[in-house]
Amino acid sequence: MEGEEKQNAHRHFSATCFKGVWDLLEKSDRSAEDDRLLREMAHASHYHWLEWNNVEPKNISIGLWLLSRVYAVSGDGRNAALYAGECIKFSENLPAFFFAYAYEAAARAAAVQGNLDERDELIRIANSQMVRIQCGEERGVQGDLDGLREAAS
């Protein structure tokens, strides 16, 4: 596979794997095999975004966030925290939406590890970004933050 065809394949597989991850995340009765597949598809999606020539920084931020989310829902707080930390570093200079979600990922990882004080501090940092988020759709991060605090309380 050469040039444009290879790039189209990377774009296709990044998006296809990303959608597959969301389909499994929304599944109410996920099995251990589903969780394994979640991790594999999240890594595949992120890899293909990294290989695509037209990748935008937001795609990388979302990929790191998704990796953290997948590890958190799989109960692996250590890897969830690892990818959340990478997401925070990568998202520092992106719009507030991405930075807030990076901290949401870190808060979720802390909750999985049972660190509720750290979770609350990370939620506070994420909430501090809310005034900088303009688009109403992007303010959905607030609902995720509120749900995270309620779920682990």
Side-chain angles (χ1 to χ4, degrees):
M1 205 179 310
E2 297 291 326
E4 186 175 339
E5 184 179 339
K6 186 174 183 179
Q7 288 299 301
N8 287 338
H10 283 305
R11 182 153 176 34
H12 168 78
F13 288 117
S14 62
T16 299
C17 290
F18 185 86
K19 183 186 178 319
V21 168
W22 276 108
D23 289 345
L24 281 173
L25 284 172
E26 293 172 352
K27 186 176 175 183
S28 61
D29 59 341
R30 270 193 328 274
S31 66
E33 177 61 18
D34 290 333
D35 283 349
R36 184 196 64 75
L37 191 55
L38 267 172
R39 291 186 298 273
E40 299 295 339
M41 285 194 302
H43 280 283
S45 176
H46 188 61
Y47 163 76
H48 286 291
W49 276 125
L50 292 172
E51 292 297 311
W52 187 48
N53 287 341
N54 294 321
V55 68
E56 295 180 29
K58 70 179 185 177
N59 301 118
I60 297 170
S61 175
I62 292 167
L64 292 168
W65 173 86
L66 186 65
L67 283 162
S68 179
R69 178 68 169 255
V70 162
Y71 278 106
V73 301
S74 297
D76 183 345
R78 186 181 65 79
N79 278 312
L82 173 77
Y83 286 107
E86 287 187 33
C87 189
I88 288 169
K89 289 178 197 168
F90 189 84
S91 303
E92 286 178 333
N93 297 315
L94 293 178
F97 170 77
F98 299 97
F99 198 56
Y101 258 116
Y103 274 93
E104 182 269 350
R108 188 173 300 280
V112 169
Q113 293 175 316
N115 301 329
L116 301 185
D117 289 339
E118 181 182 354
R119 175 208 62 187
D120 291 346
E121 176 60 15
L122 293 163
I123 289 172
R124 187 195 63 71
I125 294 169
N127 276 326
S128 73
Q129 299 300 306
M130 297 310 295
V131 295
R132 296 180 42 224
I133 297 175
Q134 301 299 315
C135 179
E137 181 177 305
E138 291 178 345
R139 290 190 62 86
V141 68
Q142 187 66 61
D144 286 338
L145 291 168
D146 293 344
L148 178 58
R149 184 172 298 205
E150 292 164 10
S153 294

